[in-house]
Amino acid sequence: MKKRAVLALGHRALGITLPDQQKAVTKTAEAIADLIEEGYQVAITHSNAPQVGMIHTAMNEFGKAHQDYTAAPMSVCSAMSQGYIGYDLQKAIREALLNRGLYRTVSTVLTQVIVDPYDEAFYTPTKVLGRYLNAEEAAKERKKGNYVVEEPGKGFRRIVAAPNPVAIVEIDAIKALLDADQVVIAAGGGGIPVLEQEHHLKGASAVVEKDLAAGKLAEETDADELIILTSVEKVKIHMGTDREEQLGEISVEEAKGYMEEGHFGVYNMLPKFRASISFLEKREGRRAIITSFDHVKAAIQGKTGTRIL
């Protein structure tokens, strides 16, 4: 039986600008090909913060310049980012595999993620989005019911909620592709957050934390491993002190202890550990790995990375 892994790509694996992204995914595809060559079935999810911010800004500016067009809602911008990141990833992974004599269909599934309308995150939005606004533009955003925060000396920025993922709408399609031993890119940028209203799905003005979406994808596909790629080979604790330490293989209980001690911050490593622990506690025999994409092959062999068992 092949092992099944969900691989979560961070910003470094994608770059920021269009040319950056096309260059970055070529290297990232080699790391993914390493996994497939090792006998893994792979589902890939990815970050999208720079990309969705760029799309949101561009669509809003277009709407301002053309009277008959409206600004694009956040859900639409998220969908667009999934499409163009998936496009570059698909091409790069296919090429990397064919260069090794491997053939797999690589598909991007436009993925919606159901969120709870009563999630506490909707009352305390935290994710900064898009360009700086002037006072007049900020006032218009507030009239629409959107949250805006001022950064002194710079202007105003829109902020949106980051609710927890509840369920993945297209999970059956994703599992069917994995069962057929194909490579699937799904839940990009945390997925498109939607609110379930009987049979209708309404796009939410929010973003889903990508690491939590990766954990949910790993749970719902019954993966054996959750591999979260970031900018460091191993996670560190007591950073900047004489007690600084790299974490290798640790237990779930040890990971929980480090979280409670506040080692990981709110927006950096903490979601990665939250996602890992939730995934591991759903079934025995699983493993979560946090490492950089240029060390992923060594990490799955147990030679490096932070490995939670």
Side-chain angles (χ1 to χ4, degrees):
M1 292 290 290
K2 290 191 173 186
K3 285 187 177 180
R4 179 172 291 182
V6 168
L7 182 69
L9 305 178
H11 301 323
R12 188 179 168 204
L14 296 174
I16 296 175
T17 66
L18 285 169
D20 281 349
Q21 179 171 298
Q22 290 170 348
K23 183 178 179 181
V25 296
T26 301
K27 187 174 181 182
T28 300
E30 294 298 329
I32 295 166
D34 284 343
L35 282 175
I36 294 166
E37 204 165 41
E38 290 284 330
Y40 280 81
Q41 292 178 334
V42 181
I44 301 149
T45 186
H46 57 79
S47 66
N48 74 338
Q51 291 86 353
V52 79
M54 176 176 63
I55 292 167
H56 185 264
T57 299
M59 296 299 289
N60 284 355
E61 290 301 308
F62 187 85
K64 284 168 57 180
H66 298 80
Q67 188 175 356
D68 294 333
Y69 290 85
T70 59
M74 191 65 209
S75 55
V76 172
C77 295
S78 294
M80 294 172 73
S81 75
Q82 283 190 19
Y84 102 79
I85 294 171
Y87 169 60
D88 280 344
L89 276 172
Q90 280 181 205
K91 290 192 302 177
I93 296 166
R94 177 182 181 275
E95 183 175 340
L97 291 174
L98 288 175
N99 286 341
R100 301 184 190 206
L102 301 170
Y103 179 76
R104 300 284 190 283
T105 300
V106 186
S107 304
T108 298
V109 176
L110 199 66
T111 312
Q112 301 170 94
V113 174
I114 295 171
V115 297
D116 182 352
Y118 301 106
D119 192 303
E120 288 294 325
F122 283 111
Y123 304 102
T124 54
T126 56
K127 293 284 186 178
V128 177
L129 175 72
R131 64 175 178 82
Y132 286 100
L133 309 171
N134 59 36
E136 182 181 350
E137 290 171 325
K140 287 181 180 178
E141 289 295 329
R142 289 193 179 104
K143 276 189 176 181
K144 295 178 191 175
N146 295 325
Y147 288 88
V148 177
V149 63
E150 183 175 7
E151 293 185 22
K154 294 183 178 180
F156 299 83
R157 300 286 296 279
R158 188 168 163 214
I159 53 173
V160 296
N164 290 317
V166 174
I168 295 171
V169 177
E170 291 78 15
I171 194 62
D172 289 339
I174 295 165
K175 290 197 302 189
L177 288 167
L178 288 172
D179 289 343
D181 204 22
Q182 304 304 309
V183 182
V184 58
I185 302 161
I192 305 161
V194 293
L195 303 171
E196 196 170 26
Q197 301 172 339
E198 295 185 354
H199 298 302
H200 177 66
L201 296 175
K202 176 180 172 57
S205 183
V207 295
V208 177
E209 171 57 57
K210 64 179 177 58
D211 295 318
L212 299 182
K216 178 61 68 175
L217 181 63
E219 289 174 23
E220 295 199 4
T221 56
D222 195 25
D224 301 293
E225 297 186 11
L226 171 62
I227 305 170
I228 300 177
L229 302 188
T230 184
S231 59
V232 296
E233 181 180 350
K234 293 183 179 181
V235 179
K236 294 180 180 179
I237 58 173
H238 303 297
M239 288 184 64
T241 73
D242 55 6
R243 298 171 59 203
E244 187 170 289
E245 177 187 351
Q246 290 185 323
L247 299 178
E249 186 170 295
I250 61 174
S251 68
V252 169
E253 291 307 313
E254 286 174 314
K256 285 181 177 179
Y258 294 134
M259 287 171 60
E260 290 170 4
E261 291 168 10
H263 286 285
F264 306 130
V266 177
Y267 304 116
N268 188 14
M269 288 295 171
L270 186 60
K272 296 171 175 53
F273 276 80
R274 282 182 58 199
S276 297
I277 290 169
S278 176
F279 166 68
L280 292 170
E281 289 185 329
K282 294 293 189 300
R283 175 168 68 78
E284 291 185 1
R286 288 174 165 175
R287 178 172 68 164
I289 297 172
I290 303 172
T291 191
S292 59
F293 73 84
D294 44 353
H295 290 94
V296 64
K297 187 172 183 178
I300 64 172
Q301 295 170 348
K303 297 175 181 177
T304 190
T306 297
R307 304 177 306 281
I308 312 170
L309 304 176

